[in-house]
Amino acid sequence: MITLQSSDKDVFEIEQSILIQSGTIKNMVEDDFTFIPLPSVDTETLIKIIEYMKKHADKTDSKEKNIKEFDKDFMKKTLNELFALVFAANYLHISSLLELLYPSIADRIKDKITEAIRQIFSIRCDFTPEEERRIIMDNKWAHEGTEIEGTLD
Amino acid sequence: MMMNRYSRKNMKRRGSKRTNKVIKENFCSSIESLPNELLTDIVARVASRSFKNFINVKLSCKVFDELANERYVYQKATLVDFPIAPWEKQTQEKISKVNSFMELCRECENTEALYRKGVLDYFKDDEAEVALEFLKRAENGGHVGAWYVIGIIMVFMGGEYKRKGVTLIGNMKETEKKLTRACRKSLIEILTEIWVTNPSVLEQRRPTGCNINNAVARMSGLVTLRMKMMDTPIFIVMLVVVTLKLLIYGNV
């Protein structure tokens, strides 16, 4: 059994066989660590990561359909939750989770106009109108016949 | 290629009048906590699905605009919005911009861009060596279609190469039948879009002008090529397989 400690100082005891899906944890286990502090991962995110690894630990054929259903539901989270998971999955080197997260995030902004993308990602437009116009003009060649919609009124 | 990482200190949380309401609801956005490497991965995923989406992300803020110039993003960008032979007449400016974009993609090891260049270099411009270089790079990056086309080109080169080409395609068919069929379909689609002027493929002299006879010659050459591609590898592979089966099993 390995003990993980979140940034909020909550501890979780999990079987080694489940945790080795994380490249980072696997390396530490091979170096004989049994207590692994994770200062970059908060409790809420760590719970989700553990849930993911538990489900994916048993990859027999019969479970494959179950796992796919689980993955689909697992991605039904807020964007901020997904970003926290991307950060944690990257830190913990869980590539299968990253491969699930990136398309889910890209899907959220699929076919959205720029203003919608800003709202979804909660970012502010820091271009001047001239700069924005320049980018649209620079990339006009890729869009002849269709509109690129910025925030120009 | 721009490789500078843009400082995200300039991403401010204060909302403008238009987006004030939304910003207040999500004033502590997690996207700002992600390192540039992960944001680049996200931008690359967007670019790999739709060029239009990619442009819209570039327009969203300076950080994304900067990250959109990363090599990895061009490596993953989809080319599906740029047909090889567009139906509509293109302005010189657009042709030039598309060519520059494709060149940049190739420099960044975009496998689809490398594949296309290889196919065009051989079937349009009769440059086997150059074509094979591009196709090898595409194949190294995991492009299966490139591997198939390398086999086809070797068949057309004749001699020692022909034998190797047949073996290559035969092996592909044995291990990945469906995928091989898809590779062939993809190549035929490209060739039907472009004129084929490679003499070793058409088995006639390169047309010197564009007139009706040449156009007909090219079309019949194209049909011949299509039949040749569809029949030669399959026929030879079948011959090889039947021969092998006879040797192994000793039955007719």
Side-chain angles (χ1 to χ4, degrees), chain B:
Chain B
M1 268 301 291
M2 295 180 68
M3 295 301 234
N4 297 329
R5 303 283 176 166
Y6 183 76
S7 163
R8 284 190 292 128
K9 285 180 200 162
N10 287 350
M11 273 184 81
K12 297 198 174 34
R13 288 193 185 140
R14 290 192 309 275
S16 70
K17 278 188 184 151
R18 270 170 303 198
T19 54
N20 231 354
K21 199 174 168 189
V22 176
I23 295 291
K24 272 182 183 166
E25 286 166 18
N26 299 299
F27 72 96
C28 191
S29 168
S30 299
I31 199 170
E32 295 181 359
S33 66
L34 289 180
N36 278 355
E37 291 80 11
L38 300 184
L39 289 177
T40 305
D41 278 330
I42 291 172
V43 174
R45 289 300 162 129
V46 173
S48 75
R49 278 144 177 252
S50 153
F51 199 74
K52 186 177 179 187
N53 266 161
F54 167 63
I55 299 295
N56 287 344
V57 167
K58 254 172 96 72
L59 269 171
S60 58
C61 67
K62 287 184 180 177
V63 168
F64 277 133
D65 181 37
E66 193 78 8
L67 292 177
N69 291 327
E70 290 288 327
R71 181 187 175 89
Y72 184 67
V73 174
Y74 279 95
Q75 190 186 67
K76 297 296 174 190
T78 179
L79 306 185
V80 89
D81 295 307
F82 304 106
I84 292 175
W87 283 107
E88 294 145 357
K89 194 170 184 323
Q90 308 285 291
T91 61
Q92 200 49 51
E93 194 206 346
K94 178 156 184 182
I95 293 171
S96 163
K97 294 268 188 178
V98 172
N99 286 342
S100 301
F101 171 69
M102 291 294 170
E103 194 181 329
L104 193 50
C105 286
R106 288 193 298 270
E107 279 172 25
C108 299
E109 301 299 312
N110 182 307
T111 57
E112 183 63 21
L114 292 165
Y115 166 78
R116 281 192 187 187
K117 186 75 168 55
V119 169
L120 289 173
D121 276 349
Y122 182 73
F123 289 99
K124 201 160 182 282
D125 300 329
D126 191 19
E127 289 174 14
E129 251 183 70
V130 175
L132 285 170
E133 278 303 315
F134 281 115
L135 290 167
K136 276 178 194 159
R137 279 166 65 189
E139 195 268 320
N140 279 341
H143 198 289
V144 182
W147 188 229
Y148 176 81
V149 175
I150 288 172
I152 292 284
I153 292 177
M154 288 203 282
V155 168
F156 279 125
M157 282 166 87
E160 170 71 12
Y161 290 107
K162 189 169 184 173
R163 190 183 58 80
K164 286 182 181 171
V166 167
T167 308
L168 187 159
I169 292 172
N171 286 340
M172 267 190 90
K173 274 201 75 165
E174 278 290 308
T175 51
E176 298 272 9
K177 203 170 180 178
K178 239 179 171 178
L179 194 54
T180 311
R181 242 183 275 143
C183 293
R184 188 170 68 222
K185 187 172 175 238
S186 164
L187 179 57
I188 289 173
E189 274 167 8
I190 296 178
L191 297 182
T192 44
E193 284 185 47
I194 61 173
W195 290 119
V196 171
T197 56
N198 185 335
S200 70
V201 168
L202 288 180
E203 290 171 346
Q204 61 187 60
R205 275 210 317 238
R206 189 186 288 272
T208 51
C210 188
N211 57 37
I212 303 251
N213 287 339
N214 282 333
V216 168
R218 273 182 288 195
M219 280 304 292
S220 63
L222 204 60
V223 170
T224 310
L225 165 70
R226 188 181 174 131
M227 285 170 60
K228 203 178 169 117
M229 267 181 47
M230 295 189 78
D231 294 346
T232 304
I234 295 173
F235 173 74
I236 292 182
V237 162
M238 276 171 60
L239 198 60
V240 165
V241 167
V242 165
T243 310
L244 279 173
K245 280 186 175 168
L246 284 174
L247 287 171
I248 292 167
Y249 300 113
N251 291 320
V252 174

Side-chain angles (χ1 to χ4, degrees), chain A residues 66-77:
Chain A
N66 269 345
I67 290 177
K68 279 205 165 86
E69 286 292 320
F70 169 83
D71 285 350
K72 212 170 152 189
D73 281 332
F74 193 70
M75 288 297 117
K76 289 177 185 167
K77 294 185 169 22

Side-chain angles (χ1 to χ4, degrees), chain A residues 8 17 21 26 31 54 60 63-64 75 81 90-91 94 104 112 124 134 143 147 150 153:
Chain A
D8 306 307
S17 56
Q21 292 173 76
K26 183 168 183 266
D31 289 339
K54 276 187 173 163
T60 54
K63 301 260 174 153
E64 213 178 284
M75 288 297 117
E81 284 174 307
N90 179 61
Y91 172 71
I94 310 171
S104 298
K112 297 283 193 300
R124 189 181 73 91
R134 180 189 52 81
H143 288 268
E147 290 295 307
D153 291 319

